[in-house]
PDB file of all heavy atoms in Angstrom:
ATOM      1  N   GLY A 142     -34.507 -14.089  10.973  1.00  0.00           N
ATOM      2  CA  GLY A 142     -35.123 -13.126  11.883  1.00  0.00           C
ATOM      3  C   GLY A 142     -34.084 -12.340  12.656  1.00  0.00           C
ATOM      4  O   GLY A 142     -34.379 -11.306  13.227  1.00  0.00           O
ATOM      5  N   GLY A 143     -32.842 -12.819  12.637  1.00  0.00           N
ATOM      6  CA  GLY A 143     -31.787 -12.124  13.348  1.00  0.00           C
ATOM      7  C   GLY A 143     -30.453 -12.191  12.629  1.00  0.00           C
ATOM      8  O   GLY A 143     -29.404 -11.968  13.220  1.00  0.00           O
ATOM      9  N   VAL A 144     -30.475 -12.504  11.336  1.00  0.00           N
ATOM     10  CA  VAL A 144     -29.233 -12.721  10.600  1.00  0.00           C
ATOM     11  C   VAL A 144     -28.475 -11.414  10.416  1.00  0.00           C
ATOM     12  O   VAL A 144     -28.921 -10.502   9.743  1.00  0.00           O
ATOM     13  CB  VAL A 144     -29.493 -13.383   9.227  1.00  0.00           C
ATOM     14  CG1 VAL A 144     -28.188 -13.594   8.489  1.00  0.00           C
ATOM     15  CG2 VAL A 144     -30.225 -14.701   9.408  1.00  0.00           C
ATOM     16  N   SER A 145     -27.330 -11.357  11.046  1.00  0.00           N
ATOM     17  CA  SER A 145     -26.459 -10.194  10.965  1.00  0.00           C
ATOM     18  C   SER A 145     -25.659 -10.222   9.651  1.00  0.00           C
ATOM     19  O   SER A 145     -25.376 -11.299   9.135  1.00  0.00           O
ATOM     20  CB  SER A 145     -25.481 -10.222  12.143  1.00  0.00           C
ATOM     21  OG  SER A 145     -24.528  -9.205  12.027  1.00  0.00           O
ATOM     22  N   PRO A 146     -25.260  -9.065   9.151  1.00  0.00           N
ATOM     23  CA  PRO A 146     -24.395  -9.057   7.979  1.00  0.00           C
ATOM     24  C   PRO A 146     -22.949  -9.416   8.320  1.00  0.00           C
ATOM     25  O   PRO A 146     -22.098  -9.494   7.446  1.00  0.00           O
ATOM     26  CB  PRO A 146     -24.506  -7.619   7.471  1.00  0.00           C
ATOM     27  CG  PRO A 146     -24.899  -6.814   8.652  1.00  0.00           C
ATOM     28  CD  PRO A 146     -25.700  -7.728   9.531  1.00  0.00           C
ATOM     29  N   PHE A 147     -22.649  -9.648   9.586  1.00  0.00           N
ATOM     30  CA  PHE A 147     -21.291  -9.954  10.046  1.00  0.00           C
ATOM     31  C   PHE A 147     -21.256 -11.274  10.810  1.00  0.00           C
ATOM     32  O   PHE A 147     -22.258 -11.712  11.350  1.00  0.00           O
ATOM     33  CB  PHE A 147     -20.787  -8.847  10.984  1.00  0.00           C
ATOM     34  CG  PHE A 147     -20.930  -7.477  10.422  1.00  0.00           C
ATOM     35  CD1 PHE A 147     -21.891  -6.620  10.909  1.00  0.00           C
ATOM     36  CD2 PHE A 147     -20.113  -7.044   9.402  1.00  0.00           C
ATOM     37  CE1 PHE A 147     -22.038  -5.344  10.389  1.00  0.00           C
ATOM     38  CE2 PHE A 147     -20.244  -5.777   8.876  1.00  0.00           C
ATOM     39  CZ  PHE A 147     -21.209  -4.920   9.367  1.00  0.00           C
ATOM     40  N   GLY A 148     -20.073 -11.891  10.896  1.00  0.00           N
ATOM     41  CA  GLY A 148     -19.858 -13.038  11.755  1.00  0.00           C
ATOM     42  C   GLY A 148     -20.388 -14.363  11.250  1.00  0.00           C
ATOM     43  O   GLY A 148     -20.688 -15.245  12.040  1.00  0.00           O
ATOM     44  N   TRP A 149     -20.488 -14.542   9.948  1.00  0.00           N
ATOM     45  CA  TRP A 149     -20.994 -15.787   9.381  1.00  0.00           C
ATOM     46  C   TRP A 149     -19.984 -16.920   9.532  1.00  0.00           C
ATOM     47  O   TRP A 149     -18.783 -16.695   9.648  1.00  0.00           O
ATOM     48  CB  TRP A 149     -21.316 -15.592   7.905  1.00  0.00           C
ATOM     49  CG  TRP A 149     -22.604 -14.888   7.652  1.00  0.00           C
ATOM     50  CD1 TRP A 149     -23.079 -13.788   8.305  1.00  0.00           C
ATOM     51  CD2 TRP A 149     -23.567 -15.229   6.686  1.00  0.00           C
ATOM     52  NE1 TRP A 149     -24.293 -13.435   7.790  1.00  0.00           N
ATOM     53  CE2 TRP A 149     -24.616 -14.295   6.783  1.00  0.00           C
ATOM     54  CE3 TRP A 149     -23.651 -16.226   5.741  1.00  0.00           C
ATOM     55  CZ2 TRP A 149     -25.734 -14.347   5.969  1.00  0.00           C
ATOM     56  CZ3 TRP A 149     -24.765 -16.266   4.918  1.00  0.00           C
ATOM     57  CH2 TRP A 149     -25.795 -15.338   5.047  1.00  0.00           C
ATOM     58  N   LEU A 150     -20.445 -18.162   9.479  1.00  0.00           N
ATOM     59  CA  LEU A 150     -19.582 -19.333   9.503  1.00  0.00           C
ATOM     60  C   LEU A 150     -18.837 -19.496   8.187  1.00  0.00           C
ATOM     61  O   LEU A 150     -17.781 -20.118   8.146  1.00  0.00           O
ATOM     62  CB  LEU A 150     -20.418 -20.601   9.760  1.00  0.00           C
ATOM     63  CG  LEU A 150     -21.160 -20.667  11.088  1.00  0.00           C
ATOM     64  CD1 LEU A 150     -22.042 -21.907  11.141  1.00  0.00           C
ATOM     65  CD2 LEU A 150     -20.172 -20.656  12.245  1.00  0.00           C
ATOM     66  N   THR A 151     -19.401 -18.961   7.104  1.00  0.00           N
ATOM     67  CA  THR A 151     -18.805 -19.049   5.770  1.00  0.00           C
ATOM     68  C   THR A 151     -18.577 -17.630   5.244  1.00  0.00           C
ATOM     69  O   THR A 151     -18.930 -16.662   5.903  1.00  0.00           O
ATOM     70  CB  THR A 151     -19.752 -19.791   4.801  1.00  0.00           C
ATOM     71  OG1 THR A 151     -20.973 -19.049   4.701  1.00  0.00           O
ATOM     72  CG2 THR A 151     -20.056 -21.194   5.284  1.00  0.00           C
ATOM     73  N   SER A 152     -18.014 -17.527   4.071  1.00  0.00           N
ATOM     74  CA  SER A 152     -17.812 -16.224   3.427  1.00  0.00           C
ATOM     75  C   SER A 152     -18.801 -16.094   2.272  1.00  0.00           C
ATOM     76  O   SER A 152     -18.495 -16.494   1.143  1.00  0.00           O
ATOM     77  CB  SER A 152     -16.378 -16.108   2.904  1.00  0.00           C
ATOM     78  OG  SER A 152     -15.473 -16.165   3.956  1.00  0.00           O
ATOM     79  N   PRO A 153     -19.984 -15.550   2.538  1.00  0.00           N
ATOM     80  CA  PRO A 153     -21.020 -15.485   1.508  1.00  0.00           C
ATOM     81  C   PRO A 153     -20.804 -14.347   0.512  1.00  0.00           C
ATOM     82  O   PRO A 153     -20.038 -13.414   0.771  1.00  0.00           O
ATOM     83  CB  PRO A 153     -22.282 -15.214   2.323  1.00  0.00           C
ATOM     84  CG  PRO A 153     -21.774 -14.363   3.441  1.00  0.00           C
ATOM     85  CD  PRO A 153     -20.423 -14.947   3.791  1.00  0.00           C
ATOM     86  N   THR A 154     -21.482 -14.434  -0.614  1.00  0.00           N
ATOM     87  CA  THR A 154     -21.591 -13.301  -1.522  1.00  0.00           C
ATOM     88  C   THR A 154     -22.675 -12.414  -0.940  1.00  0.00           C
ATOM     89  O   THR A 154     -23.801 -12.860  -0.747  1.00  0.00           O
ATOM     90  CB  THR A 154     -21.999 -13.757  -2.937  1.00  0.00           C
ATOM     91  OG1 THR A 154     -20.986 -14.627  -3.434  1.00  0.00           O
ATOM     92  CG2 THR A 154     -22.193 -12.576  -3.858  1.00  0.00           C
ATOM     93  N   ILE A 155     -22.347 -11.179  -0.626  1.00  0.00           N
ATOM     94  CA  ILE A 155     -23.303 -10.273  -0.003  1.00  0.00           C
ATOM     95  C   ILE A 155     -23.749  -9.230  -1.011  1.00  0.00           C
ATOM     96  O   ILE A 155     -22.930  -8.515  -1.580  1.00  0.00           O
ATOM     97  CB  ILE A 155     -22.691  -9.607   1.244  1.00  0.00           C
ATOM     98  CG1 ILE A 155     -22.376 -10.670   2.293  1.00  0.00           C
ATOM     99  CG2 ILE A 155     -23.625  -8.539   1.799  1.00  0.00           C
ATOM    100  CD1 ILE A 155     -21.697 -10.156   3.525  1.00  0.00           C
ATOM    101  N   LEU A 156     -25.059  -9.161  -1.222  1.00  0.00           N
ATOM    102  CA  LEU A 156     -25.658  -8.155  -2.088  1.00  0.00           C
ATOM    103  C   LEU A 156     -26.360  -7.140  -1.207  1.00  0.00           C
ATOM    104  O   LEU A 156     -27.093  -7.512  -0.294  1.00  0.00           O
ATOM    105  CB  LEU A 156     -26.671  -8.797  -3.034  1.00  0.00           C
ATOM    106  CG  LEU A 156     -26.159  -9.966  -3.864  1.00  0.00           C
ATOM    107  CD1 LEU A 156     -27.287 -10.535  -4.708  1.00  0.00           C
ATOM    108  CD2 LEU A 156     -24.991  -9.538  -4.728  1.00  0.00           C
ATOM    109  N   ILE A 157     -26.140  -5.869  -1.483  1.00  0.00           N
ATOM    110  CA  ILE A 157     -26.770  -4.809  -0.707  1.00  0.00           C
ATOM    111  C   ILE A 157     -27.641  -3.998  -1.653  1.00  0.00           C
ATOM    112  O   ILE A 157     -27.152  -3.445  -2.639  1.00  0.00           O
ATOM    113  CB  ILE A 157     -25.720  -3.924  -0.018  1.00  0.00           C
ATOM    114  CG1 ILE A 157     -24.863  -4.798   0.906  1.00  0.00           C
ATOM    115  CG2 ILE A 157     -26.395  -2.793   0.752  1.00  0.00           C
ATOM    116  CD1 ILE A 157     -23.719  -4.084   1.560  1.00  0.00           C
ATOM    117  N   ASP A 158     -28.915  -3.970  -1.372  1.00  0.00           N
ATOM    118  CA  ASP A 158     -29.877  -3.299  -2.231  1.00  0.00           C
ATOM    119  C   ASP A 158     -29.571  -1.806  -2.299  1.00  0.00           C
ATOM    120  O   ASP A 158     -29.480  -1.128  -1.271  1.00  0.00           O
ATOM    121  CB  ASP A 158     -31.289  -3.520  -1.701  1.00  0.00           C
ATOM    122  CG  ASP A 158     -32.362  -3.177  -2.703  1.00  0.00           C
ATOM    123  OD1 ASP A 158     -32.113  -2.343  -3.606  1.00  0.00           O
ATOM    124  OD2 ASP A 158     -33.467  -3.720  -2.579  1.00  0.00           O
ATOM    125  N   ASP A 159     -29.391  -1.304  -3.522  1.00  0.00           N
ATOM    126  CA  ASP A 159     -29.149   0.132  -3.736  1.00  0.00           C
ATOM    127  C   ASP A 159     -30.217   1.002  -3.087  1.00  0.00           C
ATOM    128  O   ASP A 159     -29.950   2.147  -2.734  1.00  0.00           O
ATOM    129  CB  ASP A 159     -29.122   0.454  -5.235  1.00  0.00           C
ATOM    130  CG  ASP A 159     -27.825   0.057  -5.903  1.00  0.00           C
ATOM    131  OD1 ASP A 159     -26.794  -0.038  -5.213  1.00  0.00           O
ATOM    132  OD2 ASP A 159     -27.844  -0.155  -7.128  1.00  0.00           O
ATOM    133  N   ALA A 160     -31.410   0.477  -2.924  1.00  0.00           N
ATOM    134  CA  ALA A 160     -32.508   1.254  -2.330  1.00  0.00           C
ATOM    135  C   ALA A 160     -32.185   1.691  -0.907  1.00  0.00           C
ATOM    136  O   ALA A 160     -32.725   2.693  -0.427  1.00  0.00           O
ATOM    137  CB  ALA A 160     -33.802   0.439  -2.348  1.00  0.00           C
ATOM    138  N   LEU A 161     -31.297   0.992  -0.219  1.00  0.00           N
ATOM    139  CA  LEU A 161     -30.931   1.369   1.149  1.00  0.00           C
ATOM    140  C   LEU A 161     -30.155   2.682   1.203  1.00  0.00           C
ATOM    141  O   LEU A 161     -30.092   3.324   2.252  1.00  0.00           O
ATOM    142  CB  LEU A 161     -30.126   0.256   1.818  1.00  0.00           C
ATOM    143  CG  LEU A 161     -30.863  -1.055   2.055  1.00  0.00           C
ATOM    144  CD1 LEU A 161     -29.920  -2.095   2.642  1.00  0.00           C
ATOM    145  CD2 LEU A 161     -32.061  -0.841   2.963  1.00  0.00           C
ATOM    146  N   ALA A 162     -29.574   3.090   0.091  1.00  0.00           N
ATOM    147  CA  ALA A 162     -28.779   4.324   0.054  1.00  0.00           C
ATOM    148  C   ALA A 162     -29.635   5.560   0.330  1.00  0.00           C
ATOM    149  O   ALA A 162     -29.106   6.597   0.732  1.00  0.00           O
ATOM    150  CB  ALA A 162     -28.077   4.460  -1.289  1.00  0.00           C
ATOM    151  N   GLN A 163     -30.932   5.465   0.149  1.00  0.00           N
ATOM    152  CA  GLN A 163     -31.812   6.616   0.361  1.00  0.00           C
ATOM    153  C   GLN A 163     -32.064   6.915   1.837  1.00  0.00           C
ATOM    154  O   GLN A 163     -32.588   7.961   2.183  1.00  0.00           O
ATOM    155  CB  GLN A 163     -33.136   6.414  -0.364  1.00  0.00           C
ATOM    156  CG  GLN A 163     -34.007   5.322   0.234  1.00  0.00           C
ATOM    157  CD  GLN A 163     -35.287   5.102  -0.531  1.00  0.00           C
ATOM    158  OE1 GLN A 163     -36.012   6.053  -0.808  1.00  0.00           O
ATOM    159  NE2 GLN A 163     -35.561   3.855  -0.878  1.00  0.00           N
ATOM    160  N   TYR A 164     -31.666   5.999   2.719  1.00  0.00           N
ATOM    161  CA  TYR A 164     -31.929   6.175   4.146  1.00  0.00           C
ATOM    162  C   TYR A 164     -30.668   6.633   4.878  1.00  0.00           C
ATOM    163  O   TYR A 164     -29.582   6.091   4.671  1.00  0.00           O
ATOM    164  CB  TYR A 164     -32.428   4.869   4.768  1.00  0.00           C
ATOM    165  CG  TYR A 164     -33.696   4.376   4.126  1.00  0.00           C
ATOM    166  CD1 TYR A 164     -33.669   3.323   3.215  1.00  0.00           C
ATOM    167  CD2 TYR A 164     -34.908   4.985   4.401  1.00  0.00           C
ATOM    168  CE1 TYR A 164     -34.837   2.870   2.612  1.00  0.00           C
ATOM    169  CE2 TYR A 164     -36.081   4.544   3.798  1.00  0.00           C
ATOM    170  CZ  TYR A 164     -36.031   3.494   2.908  1.00  0.00           C
ATOM    171  OH  TYR A 164     -37.183   3.053   2.309  1.00  0.00           O
ATOM    172  N   GLU A 165     -30.830   7.588   5.769  1.00  0.00           N
ATOM    173  CA  GLU A 165     -29.710   8.060   6.578  1.00  0.00           C
ATOM    174  C   GLU A 165     -29.254   6.968   7.549  1.00  0.00           C
ATOM    175  O   GLU A 165     -28.057   6.773   7.770  1.00  0.00           O
ATOM    176  CB  GLU A 165     -30.128   9.305   7.358  1.00  0.00           C
ATOM    177  CG  GLU A 165     -29.019   9.947   8.134  1.00  0.00           C
ATOM    178  CD  GLU A 165     -29.455  11.239   8.798  1.00  0.00           C
ATOM    179  OE1 GLU A 165     -30.302  11.959   8.236  1.00  0.00           O
ATOM    180  OE2 GLU A 165     -28.945  11.502   9.896  1.00  0.00           O
ATOM    181  N   VAL A 166     -30.217   6.257   8.125  1.00  0.00           N
ATOM    182  CA  VAL A 166     -29.920   5.162   9.057  1.00  0.00           C
ATOM    183  C   VAL A 166     -30.580   3.891   8.534  1.00  0.00           C
ATOM    184  O   VAL A 166     -31.743   3.901   8.143  1.00  0.00           O
ATOM    185  CB  VAL A 166     -30.446   5.471  10.481  1.00  0.00           C
ATOM    186  CG1 VAL A 166     -30.221   4.283  11.408  1.00  0.00           C
ATOM    187  CG2 VAL A 166     -29.799   6.723  11.043  1.00  0.00           C
ATOM    188  N   VAL A 167     -29.817   2.815   8.541  1.00  0.00           N
ATOM    189  CA  VAL A 167     -30.321   1.494   8.195  1.00  0.00           C
ATOM    190  C   VAL A 167     -30.160   0.632   9.437  1.00  0.00           C
ATOM    191  O   VAL A 167     -29.094   0.595  10.044  1.00  0.00           O
ATOM    192  CB  VAL A 167     -29.511   0.880   7.027  1.00  0.00           C
ATOM    193  CG1 VAL A 167     -29.973  -0.535   6.736  1.00  0.00           C
ATOM    194  CG2 VAL A 167     -29.601   1.750   5.787  1.00  0.00           C
ATOM    195  N   TRP A 168     -31.232  -0.042   9.833  1.00  0.00           N
ATOM    196  CA  TRP A 168     -31.180  -0.910  11.012  1.00  0.00           C
ATOM    197  C   TRP A 168     -30.911  -2.327  10.543  1.00  0.00           C
ATOM    198  O   TRP A 168     -31.659  -2.892   9.763  1.00  0.00           O
ATOM    199  CB  TRP A 168     -32.485  -0.820  11.794  1.00  0.00           C
ATOM    200  CG  TRP A 168     -32.635   0.510  12.441  1.00  0.00           C
ATOM    201  CD1 TRP A 168     -33.262   1.603  11.932  1.00  0.00           C
ATOM    202  CD2 TRP A 168     -32.096   0.916  13.695  1.00  0.00           C
ATOM    203  NE1 TRP A 168     -33.153   2.663  12.794  1.00  0.00           N
ATOM    204  CE2 TRP A 168     -32.439   2.262  13.899  1.00  0.00           C
ATOM    205  CE3 TRP A 168     -31.357   0.264  14.686  1.00  0.00           C
ATOM    206  CZ2 TRP A 168     -32.070   2.960  15.032  1.00  0.00           C
ATOM    207  CZ3 TRP A 168     -31.005   0.972  15.814  1.00  0.00           C
ATOM    208  CH2 TRP A 168     -31.359   2.306  15.982  1.00  0.00           C
ATOM    209  N   ALA A 169     -29.817  -2.910  11.031  1.00  0.00           N
ATOM    210  CA  ALA A 169     -29.423  -4.257  10.619  1.00  0.00           C
ATOM    211  C   ALA A 169     -29.566  -5.218  11.792  1.00  0.00           C
ATOM    212  O   ALA A 169     -29.383  -4.835  12.952  1.00  0.00           O
ATOM    213  CB  ALA A 169     -27.976  -4.244  10.133  1.00  0.00           C
TER     214      ALA A 169
END
Side-chain angles (χ1 to χ4, degrees):
V144 180
S145 173
F147 309 107
W149 282 43
L150 298 175
T151 61
S152 297
T154 299
I155 297 176
L156 306 178
I157 301 175
D158 195 335
D159 283 336
L161 295 176
Q163 69 182 309
Y164 300 103
E165 185 175 327
V166 176
V167 176
W168 291 93

